[in-house]
């Protein structure tokens, strides 16, 4: 029996079981869905505690001669009849079903694991961000610690990309609508663009992407082949419409900060640029702890812009970059966008879930649409090749993924607060302050509130602070700190210099300037 | 004769002089304006070269027995009849007039000086930013070097305010309209707010200010008196409508990044907070090179919120802060906003012009409107005092002022590019690269283009690069660099370590972490 059929049959078995146990129930409708099934009932007043009883009844109803797979009823929810809020609210019972008990157990374990890692809960617990309906759905507010985390990542990217010859730009969040008419986005992408704002008879858009602004900076002077490649980067906050139903924490939002870049190069430079972009991109992902990827190379679709020759060269360049870096990739034949071929990278987190992050897209359309050019060796106007690329994708989404990947226990260099200094009594505060001063290169907090040490340690563990430094008489006398390391517990006393070495040692090899 | 009357009489004398020289001219209208006067003529085809002739004729017409002041015709412009673009274009002649020749000369000299310092021209010459009509008026695009400058300032503020206990927030650029209805801005400030964007039946605004977002972060948990003062800072980009006619470079724009902060404190903490805010604010302004200020303290207006007692305490706290810091301030009686008293600081630039930058405003309104609270020692709900403060005002405006203040020759620590390394021939390039490496803590460029050294030096001077390091045989042999310092010219050879010391020495005392 196919899994889909199993789930379908369980819809009916669920309905029958409930009817038998609660004869006054009225049937709504049921459906097989991803991972399982559900059924809506009217006139049913039950709680989670009733689910095992219903499960048991379902098993009784299942005939011995069919093998309906392993299933479990998972939760209750309210649901409007036909999904319309004007209709009465029914009771929905959800279940999951798989071919074998093993698959079901695996699924439930993964669900449990995923729930522990839910970045929305972690974000609240670690006081990183909040989403407030009074501000608007899909518009996160970054609190103090969340902004520190953003800042660490921004600073890292700034130094890394500057060293790679990128120029950073800062562009506004609104611009004339005509820019996106020229780019084609207004025609092809309108359902994701917010309605225009009128300023003195002219329509402006909240920017859904940064490209037109970067192109205008490129066009602000005459560019020679000697200036190419020109690489513009921006942490640009863009706004795109998503239905409220699909919004999800930081990973699906309405406003997000892309780590965006646009590279303008000659056809001759394409191989080298793509190779080095991909190489440095992977280096950066690795610094954050992501070492496994799914890489997709999407080729020419049926409808396309540019010449066959352009597509062939660009696709070959993408392949060349992957192969030179010995990367396994999957071809997605005809999966490219109409304006050019691309590479997408999904990073795999610590429990194997893939997350779409990086993208490298060659664009034959915008250089034409905006008529951009450079002067070649012979003094002739030529059209540059343009590459769009994002490494992390967006800060919001990437931080969401980081939290799920590390279950909130961020590496030391990314932790908003790296150590708590906990004096045992008030007479240890002076020494604790000296320690804080010595740790001034790091992000530390002095916990001198009037609470027990054990309560502070517990709080520090909940907050996933990498190091808790307890300071009492002994530590004062021996000029040490007692170190509790996250995940390891008490690792003993340590001279402060040794502890400082220990923190630096845990850092990836970051650029200091 | 009063200056205004002088200018009025010159309007008529100008008209008479032109009529005498060009009898076919038709009179439009004239007006006395700030600094001088103008007159519009029809049927007048003249050029700038005709202005001295007209000036001469005016002097002849001036009767000996009146003393009409010293004047000068300054420029020609086109102007629509009655200012309406549907009407024909007239020729406008502008003049300036003062009581004495000395005052006129002083004015003309200041004008000339101001023109050299015009940040719009400097911004283009130094490739810092551009304003592009295709993007939209009042919406600057920050190029590579401009973004470096912004980044230096942002980084400086980030470290400085973090050390002062500020928490940095990051909030979206749109939010529900209802927030600004609650705050009162929608009623009192609507002409500066852009029209709402509709998302799923709900109206959103492009944010004109950050306050409601910061308040929502404050309200995201219960605050105790022990947590206060809470100080939130954000480099928040806000958008406000200005008529296109008043837009001016970076100093009057439609989108700008405020160095915004909101302080929530108990009444007891107000003195200390205002004092330290003002003290550190002036320290920061001084680091940027501004040492002279005009300080205004605005007191309770006729219409006000809050109690007399609140106003008295708050105004006293502001006075106390100024007096403890031995600051001269002017009272602006009844000049406060309805929600509380404030201090404004105008910084004076190197030619004595005042620029409004910092503001410290006490707010009795928003805590009430949003019903924010903290729990006091007795477990009771209390209303905190809220302070809005901006130090630089906005990054855009402040950078405009910096450029005018320094005539583009920014201090070394603020210069986007601090040194050019200029190898005399290609055989000096290897050593030049070694030098570049040794200077990796600084922002340098290797100028190895195929151009003469003298041309590169000229370009470097135009770009106001603080140091030009020329490298030839002699420097290679003696392991030195030949240093040209901005404004000083060639200051001789120098070991690289000595040069590095020299650069560090020119830095203000910046926080390293």
């Amino acid at each position: 029996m196919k899994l889909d059929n199993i789930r379908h049959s369980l819809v009916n078995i669920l309905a029958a079981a409930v009817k038998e146990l609660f004869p006054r129930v009225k049937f709504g409708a049921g459906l097989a869905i991803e991972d399982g099934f559900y059924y809506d009932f009217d006139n049913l007043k039950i709680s989670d505690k009733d689910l095992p009883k219903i499960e048991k009844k379902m098993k009784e109803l299942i005939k011995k001669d069919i093998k309906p797979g392993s299933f479990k009823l998972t939760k209750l929810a309210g649901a409007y009849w036909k999904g319309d809020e004007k209709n009465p609210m029914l009771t929905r019972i959800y279940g999951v079903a798989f071919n074998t008990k093993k698959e079901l157990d695996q699924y439930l374990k993964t669900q449990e694991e995923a729930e522990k890692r839910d970045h929305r809960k972690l974000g609240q617990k670690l006081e990183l961000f909040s989403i407030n309906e009074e501000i608007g759905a899909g518009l996160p507010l970054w609190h103090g610690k969340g902004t520190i985390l953003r800042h660490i990542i921004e600073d890292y990217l700034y130094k890394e990309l500057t060293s790679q010859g990128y120029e950073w730009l800062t562009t506004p969040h609104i611009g004339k609508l005509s820019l996106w008419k020229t780019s084609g986005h207004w025609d092809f992408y309108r359902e994701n663009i917010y309605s225009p704002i009128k300023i003195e008879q002219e329509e402006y858009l909240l920017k859904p992407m940064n490209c037109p602004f970067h192109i205008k900076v490129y066009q602000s002077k005459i560019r020679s082949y000697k200036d190419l490649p020109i690489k513009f980067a921006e942490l640009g906050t863009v706004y795109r419409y998503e239905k409220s139903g699909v919004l999800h924490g930081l990973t699906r939002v309405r406003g997000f900060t892309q780590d965006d870049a646009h590279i303008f190069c000659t056809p001759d430079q394409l191989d080298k640029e793509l190779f080095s972009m991909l190489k440095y991109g992977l280096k950066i992902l690795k610094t954050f702890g992501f070492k496994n990827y799914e890489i997709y190379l999407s080729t020419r679709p049926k409808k396309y812009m540019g010449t066959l020759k352009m597509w062939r060269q660009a696709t070959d360049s993408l392949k060349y970059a992957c192969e030179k870096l010995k990367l396994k990739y999957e071809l997605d034949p005809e999966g490219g966008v109409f304006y050019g071929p691309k590479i997408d990278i999904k990073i795999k987190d610590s429990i194997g879930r893939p997350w779409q992050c990086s993208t490298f897209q060659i664009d034959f359309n915008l250089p034409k649409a905006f008529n951009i050019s450079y002067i070649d060796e012979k003094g002739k106007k030529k059209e540059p090749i343009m590459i769009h690329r994002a490494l992390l994708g967006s800060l919001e989404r990437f931080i969401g993924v980081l939290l799920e990947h590390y279950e909130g226990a961020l590496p030391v260099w990314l932790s908003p607060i790296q150590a708590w200094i906990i004096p045992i009594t008030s007479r240890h505060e002076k020494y604790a302050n000296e320690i804080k001063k010595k740790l001034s290169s790091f992000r530390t907090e002095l916990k001198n509130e009037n609470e027990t040490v054990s309560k502070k340690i517990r709080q520090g563990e909940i907050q996933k602070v990498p190091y808790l430094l307890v300071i009492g008489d002994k530590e004062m006398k021996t000029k040490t700190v007692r170190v509790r390391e996250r995940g390891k517990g008490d690792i003993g006393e340590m001279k402060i210099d040794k502890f400082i070495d220990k923190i630096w040692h845990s850092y990836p090899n970051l650029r200091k300037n």
Side-chain angles (χ1 to χ4, degrees), chain A residues 308-485:
Chain A
L308 277 177
K309 195 183 153 206
M310 284 161 97
W311 277 85
R312 205 175 310 119
Q313 197 214 344
T315 309
D316 284 349
S317 291
L318 290 170
K319 284 183 186 169
Y320 166 82
C322 290
E323 280 156 18
K324 203 171 164 194
L325 287 164
K326 299 196 172 65
L327 296 172
K328 268 188 205 158
Y329 63 90
E330 253 179 67
L331 271 183
D332 178 8
E334 304 189 1
V337 207
F338 74 96
Y339 53 70
K342 64 170 180 169
I343 288 178
D344 287 327
I345 300 180
K346 292 185 181 177
I347 54 180
K348 287 177 107 172
D349 73 9
S350 51
I351 57 169
R353 294 171 300 176
W355 302 86
Q356 168 62 43
C357 284
S358 316
T359 185
F360 302 82
Q361 309 191 352
I362 297 172
D363 190 333
F364 305 135
N365 171 39
L366 289 187
K368 254 197 187 54
F370 282 93
N371 190 23
I372 64 178
S373 63
Y374 66 94
I375 307 298
D376 76 358
E377 289 92 330
K378 293 169 189 155
K380 270 193 176 165
K381 261 197 185 178
K382 284 277 169 67
E383 192 179 284
I385 292 183
M386 187 171 170
I387 310 170
H388 308 255
R389 82 102 189 82
L391 286 179
L392 311 186
S394 81
L395 290 184
E396 286 72 14
R397 183 180 174 73
F398 193 73
I399 288 174
V401 175
L402 274 176
L403 290 172
E404 304 234 349
H405 179 62
Y406 287 111
E407 208 182 320
L410 294 170
V412 175
W413 75 286
L414 289 171
S415 290
I417 303 300
Q418 299 170 308
W420 276 7
I421 302 160
I422 306 175
I424 293 179
T425 72
S426 59
R427 79 172 176 280
H428 307 112
E429 265 188 46
K430 200 181 148 219
Y431 178 61
N433 263 309
E434 282 171 36
I435 293 295
K436 186 160 171 42
K437 239 182 189 162
K438 285 203 174 150
L439 292 174
S440 67
S441 298
F442 304 100
R443 299 177 294 274
T444 63
E445 278 181 0
L446 183 71
K447 304 303 283 184
N448 57 355
E449 302 91 342
N450 192 13
E451 277 166 1
T452 64
V453 171
S454 61
K455 189 170 175 197
K456 288 177 190 172
I457 289 175
R458 218 156 46 237
Q459 284 172 341
E461 284 169 352
I462 290 171
Q463 288 276 308
K464 313 223 177 196
V465 178
Y467 297 104
L468 306 176
L469 309 178
V470 182
I471 283 165
D473 287 341
K474 196 170 164 210
E475 289 77 23
M476 257 174 79
K477 206 188 254 170
T478 55
K479 294 268 159 207
T480 57
V481 289
R482 190 158 195 99
V483 182
R484 290 186 70 91
E485 188 171 340

Side-chain angles (χ1 to χ4, degrees), chain A residues 6-245:
Chain A
I6 291 173
R7 287 167 181 162
H8 268 295
S9 66
L10 283 163
V11 171
N12 300 320
I13 293 166
L14 170 58
V18 171
K19 184 78 186 171
E20 212 159 291
L21 292 169
F22 308 94
R24 303 170 135 212
V25 78
K26 284 179 188 165
F27 291 137
L31 209 63
I33 52 173
E34 207 194 340
D35 304 330
F37 56 93
Y38 72 76
Y39 206 101
D40 295 341
F41 301 94
D42 197 8
N43 204 25
L44 180 67
K45 298 270 170 294
I46 57 169
S47 76
D48 283 345
K49 280 183 280 182
D50 295 306
L51 293 180
K53 196 166 65 182
I54 300 171
E55 237 174 68
K56 202 177 152 217
K57 177 59 72 183
M58 286 173 74
K59 281 175 189 161
E60 287 170 24
L61 291 178
I62 291 167
K63 289 174 194 148
K64 293 268 152 52
D65 54 336
I66 65 160
K67 190 173 156 273
S70 284
F71 71 94
K72 187 179 164 54
L73 297 184
T74 49
K75 62 181 174 184
L76 289 173
Y80 293 109
W81 169 239
K82 288 186 176 172
D84 187 336
E85 26 181 294
K86 283 173 213 138
N87 290 336
M89 176 80 89
L90 307 182
T91 299
R92 177 171 293 180
I93 300 176
Y94 278 102
V96 291
F98 290 89
N99 277 314
T100 62
K101 173 104 177 30
K102 199 177 154 195
E103 278 170 44
L104 176 67
D105 289 347
Q106 179 57 44
Y107 173 85
L108 293 173
K109 206 181 139 202
T110 308
Q111 281 301 103
E112 200 186 320
E113 188 62 35
E115 208 156 305
K116 272 199 301 183
R117 292 169 181 274
D118 187 330
H119 73 275
R120 296 168 302 176
K121 287 181 194 164
L122 287 167
Q124 191 176 20
K125 201 168 81 176
L126 306 182
E127 299 180 2
L128 299 174
F129 67 91
S130 61
I131 294 176
N132 185 322
E133 273 298 327
E134 292 175 83
I135 305 287
L139 298 169
L141 290 174
W142 291 87
H143 294 214
K145 286 175 194 159
T147 300
I148 294 174
L149 177 54
R150 282 178 72 106
H151 190 261
I152 297 164
I153 298 174
E154 287 172 11
D155 197 49
Y156 169 66
L157 289 177
Y158 184 84
K159 286 168 184 164
E160 201 57 53
L161 295 184
T162 301
S163 82
Q164 292 300 308
Y166 284 78
E167 277 183 67
W168 289 87
L169 308 181
T170 311
T171 68
H173 301 93
I174 56 172
K176 286 189 181 168
L177 169 58
S178 51
L179 293 165
W180 287 278
K181 280 190 177 156
T182 303
S183 72
H185 291 112
W186 183 245
D187 285 334
F188 287 109
Y189 200 72
R190 194 177 316 178
E191 72 276 14
N192 290 96
I193 299 180
Y194 292 108
S195 56
I197 297 167
K198 212 163 194 174
I199 309 178
E200 289 179 0
Q201 320 315 326
E202 188 90 41
E203 292 191 305
Y204 286 71
L205 292 183
L206 196 52
K207 73 173 164 183
M209 59 273 302
N210 306 297
C211 341
F213 295 153
H214 289 201
I215 288 172
K216 288 295 158 196
V217 174
Y218 180 93
Q219 289 180 314
S220 68
K221 59 181 189 176
I222 293 168
R223 308 288 182 172
S224 144
Y225 69 98
K226 289 184 216 162
D227 305 324
L228 265 43
I230 286 174
K231 306 194 267 189
F232 289 148
E234 179 173 16
L235 292 167
T237 307
V238 297
Y239 291 85
R240 297 182 188 169
Y241 174 65
E242 300 275 0
K243 285 190 185 144
S244 56

